[in-house]
Amino acid sequence: RIVERNGRDPTRMVQILREVQEALDWLSPQAIDALQAALKVPRTKIEGVAGFYAFFYLQPRGRYRLLFSDNITDRMLGNEALLERLCRNLWIEPGKVSEDGLVSVDTTSCTGLCDQGPALLVNNQAIGRLTAERIDQIAELVRSKVPLAEWPDELFAIEDNIRRADVLLGNDMQPGDALRAARALAPDEGLMASNMRSWREGLPTGLGGPAAILDEIKHANLRGRGGAGFTTALKWEACRNAPLKLGQQRIVVCNADEGEPGTFKDRVLLTRHADAVFEGMTVAAYAVGATLGFLYLRGEYRHLLEPLNAILERRRGENLLGQNILGIPGANFDIEIHLGAGAYVCGEESALIESLEGKRGTPRNRPPFPVTNGYLDQPTIVNNVETFAAAALIALKGGAWYANIGTRHSAGTKILSVSGDCARPGIYEYPFGVSVRQVLADCGADDVQAVQVSGPSGVCIAPAEFDRIIGFEDIPTAGAFTIFNSSRDMFEVARNYVHFFQHESCGFCTPCRVGTALLKKLMDKLHQGAGSPYDFAEIEKLNVLLQSMSHCGLGHTACNPVLDTIARFRPAYDRRLMQKDFTPAFDLDQALSLARQMTGRDDAGAHLASQHGGEA
Ligand code: SF4
C-alpha cells in the first residue's frame, strides 16, 4: 500500500523508506525484498539509500527509539547525565537494543530545540525541556509499553519562544494577501495567464505580473537567508530564463532542512507563519513559471508534517494552490512536503535535490547549477524558508518598502535563533545591522566570553568584536547565535563541533572523509592531554587540505571552529599541551589489529614495532 500510495515511483524512495520504517520500526530484509519487487530497483540501490540516512535502520532498533540531541547546548544543559539516567532506568547501554527489543537509546546531532533543551526524539517525535523527572516519566512510559499516541500531550509541547518580532514575524498577512497583491502587479489577468503559458513553453515573457514581481524582488535587494546570501532575483531570473525540454516543468524548492547546530528559526516560521512561507513559494512560482513545489522538511521536524499538510489542504480549498490559482487560467502550482531522514549534508542544495529524487544526499558537481539542471534535470530554484516568507512580504508591501529596512548591503530583517548562556533564549528578529552587543543585551546574556554565529561552520566572536554587526557586509549568518559565558571551555566547544562534522561528513570525497576523522582524532588527543605544539601545525595542514580539496561546504568549513578558537582562546588549548614532543594521534599498529585477526597472524613479524625497531 505504501508503494502504491507513492505511485510506485523510485524518485520517492526516501519517503517510501520512511513510511515503511514508521510501520515496521526498521527496514527488515523482507521489507527490502518487497520494495525491490514493487519498485523494480536493485536491492543494493535501496540499501545504499537507506544506509546513507541516520534515521533509517537496516538493523533492528527498539520499538521505542530514543535519540538524545547532542548539540553543544544540550551538553551545557546536562544531556549526558540525563542519558545516563534513562539508560540506568531502562537497564540498557547507549547504542544497544534492550534484550526484549523494546527500546534503544542513541544520540543524534542537534534536533533544533536549542532554546528548550536538553531534547530527545522518540520515534521521531520531539520532546524538549528534559529534566530528571521527565526522564523518569519517559522511562516509566516505555517500561509500561504505553503506545506513543497515549503519552501525555504536554511532553510533546514545543514552545515558539518568539522574543522579538519585526516586520516578518510581526506581520498580519492573511492567506492570499500576498498573492492578490502580486496579481495586482499584472496589468490584466489575461496577460498574466498568457505569460504563465509562455513560461511553461520556455519562451521569453513580456512585461506583466511575473516580470513585475521579479522587479519588486530585485528592488527589495532580497538575498538568500540560508547563509550564502546569493541575490534572490538573479536566481529566479536564471531559472525563469532556462529553456525547458519537452515534458519538463520548472520547480520551486523550499529548503527547510535547517541542520546547522544552534538553528531553529525555520521550525518557528513553519509553526507560526507557514502560510507566508507557502505564499512566498507560490509568488516565486508565478515569477519563474513553476508548476511544482517541494518543501524539504528535516526529519527532526516530523511533528510538523501533519499540521503543514493540513495547511496545504486548506490552501487548495481556498484556491491558493492547485489549478487556476485565484481564478487565473493557467496559473497552476502545488506543493508537496518531503521529509528528510537525518543527513545534515542535505541542507546543501544539490544534495537536497538528490534526496528529493530518492537518492543518497551526495552533493553534485557544479556547474551545471540547479537553476538550469535541478530536480530531475529541470530548472529549479532552492531557497530558504525565511527567504520565501520575506518574498511574500515583498509581494504585499513592495520592494522599495523592504529595501528601506536594514543596511545598504543587507536589506530587510534577519531572524536569529538565540541559545546558550542567556536568560531568554528563543527567536529574535532584527533589521540587518544590529550589533552582537545589542542582541546579547536583549536576551539577557552576562559575562559572555564568546558567541558562535551561524553554527559550527560560521564564526566565533570574542568580546572585543561585540560591536560587529549582523549583515552580509560583516557577519553573514543563517541564523544560529550561540552564547558561551566565561565558565565554558571553548576547546570543548570546538571539539564538539569537530565531532559533529566528522559524524555528518557524507564520505563521498576522501579529503573530507579522512580529514574530518583526523581532525577529530587530533582534538581528542589534545583532550586526553597527549597534544604537543606540533598538532597546531597539523591542524593548519588539514585546513588547507579540506579547504582546497573538499567537494562541498561541509569539508571547506570543518576546521573553522578549531582555527577560530585557537586564534581567540589559545589558553584553552595551551592548558592541554602536556607534551613537548610530537605524539601520533593515530596508532598504526593498533589499526592493523583487525588485519592480524583476519589473517590469523599475531607473531612478532606482524607487528610494526618489530619491523622498525619500536619506532612505529
Ligand atoms: Fe561529503 Fe564532505 Fe565531500 Fe561534502 S566535502 S561531499 S560532506 S565528504
Side-chain angles (χ1 to χ4, degrees), residues 32-51:
I32 303 282
D33 284 345
L35 288 177
Q36 180 185 7
L39 291 168
K40 312 232 175 313
V41 169
R43 182 186 189 89
T44 46
K45 182 155 184 227
I46 300 174
E47 287 177 340
V49 173

Short mmCIF file of all heavy atoms in Angstrom, two decimals, residues 32-51:
data_model
loop_
_atom_site.label_atom_id
_atom_site.label_comp_id
_atom_site.label_asym_id
_atom_site.label_seq_id
_atom_site.Cartn_x
_atom_site.Cartn_y
_atom_site.Cartn_z
N ILE A 32 12.88 -4.91 2.45
CA ILE A 32 13.70 -4.50 1.29
C ILE A 32 13.36 -5.39 0.09
O ILE A 32 13.24 -4.91 -1.04
CB ILE A 32 15.22 -4.61 1.63
CG1 ILE A 32 15.56 -3.76 2.86
CG2 ILE A 32 16.07 -4.22 0.43
CD1 ILE A 32 15.70 -2.29 2.66
N ASP A 33 13.18 -6.72 0.34
CA ASP A 33 12.78 -7.64 -0.75
C ASP A 33 11.50 -7.15 -1.41
O ASP A 33 11.38 -7.09 -2.64
CB ASP A 33 12.52 -9.05 -0.20
CG ASP A 33 13.81 -9.78 0.13
OD1 ASP A 33 14.87 -9.31 -0.34
OD2 ASP A 33 13.75 -10.78 0.86
N ALA A 34 10.51 -6.80 -0.57
CA ALA A 34 9.20 -6.37 -1.09
C ALA A 34 9.35 -5.07 -1.89
O ALA A 34 8.76 -4.92 -2.97
CB ALA A 34 8.22 -6.18 0.07
N LEU A 35 10.20 -4.16 -1.40
CA LEU A 35 10.40 -2.90 -2.12
C LEU A 35 11.10 -3.15 -3.46
O LEU A 35 10.76 -2.55 -4.48
CB LEU A 35 11.24 -1.93 -1.28
CG LEU A 35 10.54 -1.33 -0.06
CD1 LEU A 35 11.50 -0.44 0.72
CD2 LEU A 35 9.32 -0.51 -0.49
N GLN A 36 12.07 -4.06 -3.43
CA GLN A 36 12.80 -4.39 -4.66
C GLN A 36 11.82 -4.90 -5.73
O GLN A 36 11.87 -4.47 -6.88
CB GLN A 36 13.84 -5.46 -4.33
CG GLN A 36 14.66 -5.89 -5.51
CD GLN A 36 15.59 -7.04 -5.15
OE1 GLN A 36 15.52 -7.59 -4.05
NE2 GLN A 36 16.46 -7.40 -6.06
N ALA A 37 10.92 -5.78 -5.30
CA ALA A 37 9.96 -6.35 -6.25
C ALA A 37 8.96 -5.29 -6.73
O ALA A 37 8.65 -5.21 -7.92
CB ALA A 37 9.21 -7.51 -5.59
N ALA A 38 8.51 -4.46 -5.81
CA ALA A 38 7.46 -3.49 -6.18
C ALA A 38 8.01 -2.33 -7.00
O ALA A 38 7.34 -1.81 -7.89
CB ALA A 38 6.79 -2.97 -4.91
N LEU A 39 9.24 -1.91 -6.68
CA LEU A 39 9.77 -0.72 -7.35
C LEU A 39 10.66 -1.06 -8.54
O LEU A 39 11.03 -0.19 -9.32
CB LEU A 39 10.59 0.11 -6.35
CG LEU A 39 9.81 0.81 -5.25
CD1 LEU A 39 10.74 1.35 -4.17
CD2 LEU A 39 8.97 1.95 -5.81
N LYS A 40 11.02 -2.35 -8.64
CA LYS A 40 11.91 -2.82 -9.71
C LYS A 40 13.24 -2.02 -9.67
O LYS A 40 13.72 -1.48 -10.67
CB LYS A 40 11.26 -2.68 -11.08
CG LYS A 40 9.85 -3.24 -11.15
CD LYS A 40 9.69 -4.21 -12.31
CE LYS A 40 8.34 -4.88 -12.37
NZ LYS A 40 7.85 -5.42 -11.13
N VAL A 41 13.76 -1.95 -8.49
CA VAL A 41 15.03 -1.24 -8.26
C VAL A 41 15.97 -2.24 -7.58
O VAL A 41 15.54 -3.00 -6.71
CB VAL A 41 14.79 -0.04 -7.32
CG1 VAL A 41 16.10 0.55 -6.83
CG2 VAL A 41 13.98 1.03 -8.03
N PRO A 42 17.26 -2.29 -7.99
CA PRO A 42 18.17 -3.26 -7.37
C PRO A 42 18.22 -3.09 -5.84
O PRO A 42 18.20 -1.96 -5.33
CB PRO A 42 19.53 -2.94 -7.98
CG PRO A 42 19.25 -2.13 -9.18
CD PRO A 42 17.92 -1.48 -9.00
N ARG A 43 18.33 -4.23 -5.20
CA ARG A 43 18.40 -4.24 -3.74
C ARG A 43 19.54 -3.35 -3.21
O ARG A 43 19.38 -2.61 -2.25
CB ARG A 43 18.62 -5.69 -3.31
CG ARG A 43 18.68 -5.88 -1.85
CD ARG A 43 19.05 -7.29 -1.46
NE ARG A 43 18.85 -7.36 -0.03
CZ ARG A 43 17.71 -7.69 0.54
NH1 ARG A 43 16.69 -8.02 -0.19
NH2 ARG A 43 17.59 -7.67 1.84
N THR A 44 20.69 -3.41 -3.90
CA THR A 44 21.85 -2.64 -3.45
C THR A 44 21.54 -1.14 -3.46
O THR A 44 22.02 -0.38 -2.63
CB THR A 44 23.07 -2.89 -4.36
OG1 THR A 44 22.63 -2.82 -5.71
CG2 THR A 44 23.71 -4.22 -4.08
N LYS A 45 20.73 -0.74 -4.43
CA LYS A 45 20.40 0.69 -4.51
C LYS A 45 19.51 1.08 -3.32
O LYS A 45 19.73 2.12 -2.69
CB LYS A 45 19.68 0.97 -5.83
CG LYS A 45 19.38 2.43 -5.95
CD LYS A 45 19.23 2.92 -7.37
CE LYS A 45 19.04 4.44 -7.31
NZ LYS A 45 17.95 4.88 -8.13
N ILE A 46 18.55 0.23 -3.01
CA ILE A 46 17.65 0.54 -1.88
C ILE A 46 18.47 0.59 -0.59
O ILE A 46 18.36 1.53 0.21
CB ILE A 46 16.53 -0.51 -1.76
CG1 ILE A 46 15.71 -0.54 -3.06
CG2 ILE A 46 15.63 -0.22 -0.57
CD1 ILE A 46 14.67 -1.64 -3.12
N GLU A 47 19.34 -0.41 -0.42
CA GLU A 47 20.15 -0.45 0.81
C GLU A 47 21.14 0.73 0.83
O GLU A 47 21.43 1.29 1.89
CB GLU A 47 20.89 -1.77 0.91
CG GLU A 47 19.94 -2.90 1.27
CD GLU A 47 20.62 -4.27 1.32
OE1 GLU A 47 21.71 -4.41 0.73
OE2 GLU A 47 20.04 -5.17 1.92
N GLY A 48 21.63 1.09 -0.35
CA GLY A 48 22.57 2.22 -0.43
C GLY A 48 21.90 3.50 0.01
O GLY A 48 22.50 4.31 0.73
N VAL A 49 20.66 3.71 -0.41
CA VAL A 49 19.94 4.91 0.01
C VAL A 49 19.64 4.84 1.50
O VAL A 49 19.92 5.79 2.25
CB VAL A 49 18.62 5.07 -0.81
CG1 VAL A 49 17.79 6.22 -0.26
CG2 VAL A 49 18.94 5.30 -2.28
N ALA A 50 19.11 3.71 1.94
CA ALA A 50 18.75 3.58 3.36
C ALA A 50 19.98 3.78 4.25
O ALA A 50 19.90 4.43 5.30
CB ALA A 50 18.11 2.22 3.62
N GLY A 51 21.11 3.23 3.81
CA GLY A 51 22.32 3.31 4.62
C GLY A 51 22.89 4.71 4.75
O GLY A 51 23.69 5.00 5.63
#
